[in-house]
């Protein structure tokens, strides 16, 4: 049958909507990261409930499906969240604040979970390439990065497991 004879309500010609992809590997979180995920779940649950109330018919069917899809993602992230053991004293690991030189430029980053990462705020996911390059190193150690030998020098390492309120 020609597309011209289909009703607009036929959904078979619409693109399929896929689930939000879950990052591969463990779902490591800081206390702050877990609190952010839990807050997102609560926010989405409220939005889904509000969308079904007769008073608040603010969501179209498509928007409601997106809300529910996002809620499934965040519920999964909350259910699989796991805290990491602190790294050995003075070594770079999950929950650390690291000050380092990268090609002569000083940078300071906190190593956090994937869902908590905000590069502009100095919070990098433990899966970020630069973080993977320095994991396990100690103050004074060097790491190769982006094809350059000794491109990174670790200046200081401090374990700063962030609390739920963002203070570490």
């Amino acid at each position: 049958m020609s597309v011209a004879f289909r009703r607009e309500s036929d959904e078979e010609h619409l693109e399929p909507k896929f689930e939000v992809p879950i990052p591969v590997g463990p779902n490591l979180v800081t206390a702050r990261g877990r609190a952010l995920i839990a807050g997102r779940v609560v926010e989405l649950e409220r939005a889904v409930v509000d969308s079904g109330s007769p008073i608040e018919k603010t969501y179209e069917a498509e928007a409601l499906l997106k809300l529910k899809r996002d809620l499934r993602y965040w519920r999964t992230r909350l259910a699989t969240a796991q805290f990491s053991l602190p790294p050995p004293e003075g070594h770079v690991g999950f929950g650390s604040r690291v000050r380092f030189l990268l090609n002569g430029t000083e940078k300071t980053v906190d190593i956090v979970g994937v869902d908590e990462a905000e590069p502009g705020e100095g919070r990098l996911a433990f899966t970020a390439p630069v973080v993977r390059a320095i994991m396990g190193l100690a103050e004074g150690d060097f790491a190769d990065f982006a094809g350059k030998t000794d491109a990174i020098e670790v200046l200081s390492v401090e374990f700063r497991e962030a609390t739920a309120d963002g203070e570490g």
Side-chain angles (χ1 to χ4, degrees):
M1 176 188 304
S2 169
V3 174
F5 293 105
R6 290 187 182 167
R7 294 184 311 260
E8 285 186 31
S9 63
D10 286 347
E11 293 185 17
E12 66 188 45
H13 67 281
L14 297 177
E15 281 191 37
K17 302 294 184 212
F18 298 102
E19 293 297 312
V20 178
I22 302 288
V24 176
N27 182 16
L28 299 179
V29 296
T30 63
R32 178 183 182 277
R34 188 180 186 295
L36 289 172
I37 293 169
R40 187 73 176 131
V41 167
V42 169
E43 176 185 314
L44 288 168
E45 286 174 340
R46 285 184 185 143
V48 168
V49 168
D50 288 347
S51 70
S53 72
I55 298 169
E56 290 239 6
K57 287 290 187 186
T58 58
Y59 293 98
E60 297 291 329
E62 185 72 25
L64 181 58
L65 289 175
K66 182 183 181 324
L67 278 175
K68 288 181 176 180
R69 186 174 56 241
D70 290 348
L71 181 56
R72 285 190 299 275
Y73 171 84
W74 289 108
R75 280 182 174 160
T76 300
R77 296 304 281 169
L78 185 60
T80 60
Q82 53 186 288
F83 295 107
S84 176
L85 294 174
E89 178 91 26
H91 287 78
V92 177
F94 189 86
S96 296
R97 172 167 282 176
V98 185
R99 194 169 56 87
F100 60 94
L101 287 175
L102 175 60
N103 297 322
T105 303
E106 187 174 313
K107 299 186 180 291
T108 302
V109 299
D110 292 329
I111 301 172
V112 299
V114 173
D115 296 315
E116 184 183 2
E118 294 180 61
E121 300 294 320
R123 287 188 285 275
L124 295 182
F126 68 97
T127 57
V130 71
V131 173
R132 288 195 325 256
I134 62 175
M135 281 293 222
L137 298 181
E139 185 176 318
D141 287 348
F142 289 84
D144 300 342
F145 185 68
K148 295 182 183 175
T149 305
D150 294 341
I152 302 173
E153 178 185 2
V154 177
L155 301 175
S156 67
V157 180
E158 169 189 359
F159 181 69
R160 282 184 54 93
E161 169 60 87
T163 59
D165 62 4
E167 299 302 314

